[in-house]
Amino acid sequence: MIEARGLTKRFGDVVAVDDLSFDVRPGTVTGFLGPNGSGKSTTMRMIMGLDAPAAGTVSVLGRRYHDLPWPLREVGALLEAKAIHPGRSARAHLLTLARSNAIPRARVDEVLELVGLTSVAGKRAGKFSLGMGQRLGIAAALLGDPGVLLFDEPVNGLDPEGIRWVRTLCKNLAAEGRTVFVSSHLMAEMALTADHLVVIGKGKLIAETSVSEFVARSSRQSVKVRTPAPHQLVDAVTNAGGQVIDDPDGSLTVTGLSAPEVGDLAASIRVALHELTPVASLEDAFMELTEEAVEFRGGQ
Amino acid sequence: MTAVLGASTPLAVEQEPGRVGLRRAMSAEWTKLWSVRSTMWTLVATGIAVVGLATLSTGARSATDIVDDPTRLSLIGIFLGQLIFGVLGVLVISAEYGTGTIRATLSAVPRRPVVLLAKVLVFGAVALVVSEVFTFIAFGVGQAILSAKHAVGPSAAIAQHAHQLGLKVPPKLKGLLPTTGSASLGQPGVLRAVIGAGLYLAVLGLLALGLGTIIRHTAGAIAAFAGVVLVLPLIVQALPTSISNAVARYLPANIGLVMFSTNGLPDRVGPAFSPWAGFALLVFYTVVILALGCWVLVRRDA
């Protein structure tokens, strides 16, 4: 359980996190979604007590992180990839963390095995790829078998297999009743991994909702339609204020009208429909909700 | 938490109800210190500097030279060793900022003063042991070379002079007066000087650790450390004698010089504190720098 209340962080004149309140509950994967530079990492650092908030509070398991007696047994975090001394081995890195929190040495080898780094555990970490660095970070997070896990952009630098592995890991951890908070700027990734979402843009909370609700709230919902009389339907839809895109497979994608509206419209002009499927991409929903809040806009 | 995902090792520490404390933090720091090669290499380099310069400085003396202070001569390598040692002291914390491991460290031990204290105690203990070993080796090697050369030391000269004048040297003093220009640990002030040299080196390592804690960047902290031990004395020397005489005694380098001399500072340096008064001042500097570092560590985001 993570509870943020009015969390605010300023860097000089820049407000990185602005009055942010949200809850992260156990037993589900909560996605922390926002464009790059929206304050996700800063928020995670504040949860971990590494950055001090300018205002507001955040608690983990009802306490400030600072007050956790054995923090690594309560909270595991992957905050940045390859945050390891290049001259130190993966095993030694984990061993220093284990020593500080009275975690048995044998657990170090267990988590190394778990993330698939056993064969390189004694090698200097400077030679690690970004993906191996991520795996080591995840191993460090799992070291204390904690009930709360924070992963900041965990799939960065991972190959497709690694991405799937992280996805499954997150879901399994949540299924065991743990609190799992995963940040990403990739909406598609969140759609596959998360059950709940905390969406931020420019440091402000945009939405705190389930993934399905988040998608449903999008007005950019589109409807996939198949009909033997496309021309008549296109005219009717256009007249009703919708837009139509011809898809290569012969179907039409209608935006601006809901699925029931398209169905009613087709009935009113006596056009048969072979398919009527509401389609909403999380990507679209995300883009729409953060449009106002994107910090850095590319192009033009 | 229920043990899953390969967590077969029980993690509970029922026998230790408390919380992450100094002992655990020190254990982690110990592992950290010895799990990177740079630690061993900087220590070896310091040893080479301290002992190597003892060999060179004493070896360069001819048999007829009067050695002002054979102890000091054999320990002069401290001034080179302190620079390398300072780098290690800085790295103890700046490497954590450079690599990002400070976040892991502070996540594991959220009470930041405990982290710094653990670093000070672990590195301080290693620094002290290693420094004392190096200085004793340097002293032994240096004196062996001097005595092989039979260089004439001032006390030996005095003894000879006294003998020629027919003065009676008390038997108690006889053992203390060397026949050559080499020193032995039994002579007045010699043991204090050799131990003092090691203390000086160790405390400077901690001073560097303090600077690293404040500055956080390796290069910047090393530059600051070099500024304190190398540049500051040059600036003071360039000042008018009236001012430099008043200021010189406060410089760490001059405090160190007194600490590993048996007969005070060379005249050119001017008035000085006694070895232990100087050492107390040096410790005071270091405590102030470390306290400032602790304040910065607690106040600033990691």
Side-chain angles (χ1 to χ4, degrees), chain A residues 160-174:
Chain A
E161 192 210 342
I163 292 173
R164 221 170 67 169
W165 174 74
V166 168
R167 206 179 283 155
T168 312
L169 178 72
C170 288
K171 288 183 174 179
N172 287 347
L173 290 167

Side-chain angles (χ1 to χ4, degrees), chain B residues 32-236:
Chain B
K32 234 180 258 177
L33 190 64
W34 295 111
S35 59
V36 290
R37 290 184 198 175
S38 57
T39 304
M40 194 46 92
W41 285 124
T42 35
L43 290 179
V44 167
T46 308
I48 291 171
V50 172
V51 179
L53 268 181
T55 313
L56 288 177
S57 63
T58 52
R61 295 301 160 121
S62 68
T64 51
D65 278 351
I66 288 183
V67 179
D68 181 29
D69 184 346
T71 306
R72 179 165 67 217
L73 188 65
S74 65
L75 295 172
I76 207 74
I78 294 291
F79 282 142
L80 184 58
Q82 69 184 2
L83 290 173
I84 310 168
F85 221 58
V87 170
L88 181 57
V90 163
L91 279 175
V92 164
I93 190 142
S94 71
E96 293 228 32
Y97 284 98
T99 58
T101 51
I102 190 73
R103 256 81 68 189
T105 297
L106 296 180
S107 299
V109 186
R111 286 183 295 165
R112 298 182 184 186
V114 173
V115 172
L116 184 59
L117 186 58
K119 282 185 186 294
V120 166
L121 292 176
V122 169
F123 174 65
V126 170
L128 185 61
V129 169
V130 170
S131 303
E132 292 296 351
V133 168
F134 287 161
T135 50
F136 272 90
I137 292 174
F139 175 79
V141 168
Q143 300 315 315
I145 292 172
L146 283 179
S147 83
K149 284 177 179 281
H150 298 289
V152 180
S155 31
I158 292 167
Q160 279 169 13
H161 204 59
H163 185 73
Q164 281 160 10
L165 291 174
L167 293 173
K168 241 186 156 183
V169 178
K172 254 189 181 177
L173 262 175
K174 241 178 186 167
L176 300 177
L177 295 174
T179 52
T180 69
S182 66
S184 71
L185 291 174
Q187 290 164 359
V190 174
L191 185 61
R192 189 266 305 145
V194 180
I195 291 173
L199 283 174
Y200 169 76
L201 197 53
V203 171
L204 272 195
L206 290 175
L207 184 78
L209 170 57
L211 289 173
T213 312
I214 296 169
I215 298 169
R216 297 189 173 188
H217 293 285
T218 304
I222 290 173
F225 181 74
V228 170
V229 298
L230 282 185
V231 183
L232 222 51
L234 292 178
I235 293 173
V236 170

Side-chain angles (χ1 to χ4, degrees), chain A residues 9 49-52 65-66 69-71 73 80 83-84 88 96 99-102 107 110 114 144-145 147 173 176 178, chain B residues 1-11 18-20 24 27-28 31-32 35 99 101 103 107-108 110 112 301-302:
Chain A
K9 180 71 187 176
L50 296 171
D51 283 11
Y65 188 91
H66 187 270
W70 300 98
R73 295 157 172 276
E80 58 208 301
I84 176 171
R88 192 173 282 133
T96 63
R99 289 255 160 90
S100 65
N101 275 243
R107 176 67 181 160
E110 278 175 12
L114 186 65
D145 198 18
L173 290 167
E176 288 160 8
R178 300 173 208 250
Chain B
M1 205 65 218
T2 48
V4 269
L5 281 166
S8 57
T9 305
L11 293 168
R19 58 184 300 186
V20 172
R24 296 285 172 192
S27 168
T31 308
K32 234 180 258 177
S35 59
T99 58
T101 51
R103 256 81 68 189
S107 299
R112 298 182 184 186
D301 290 338

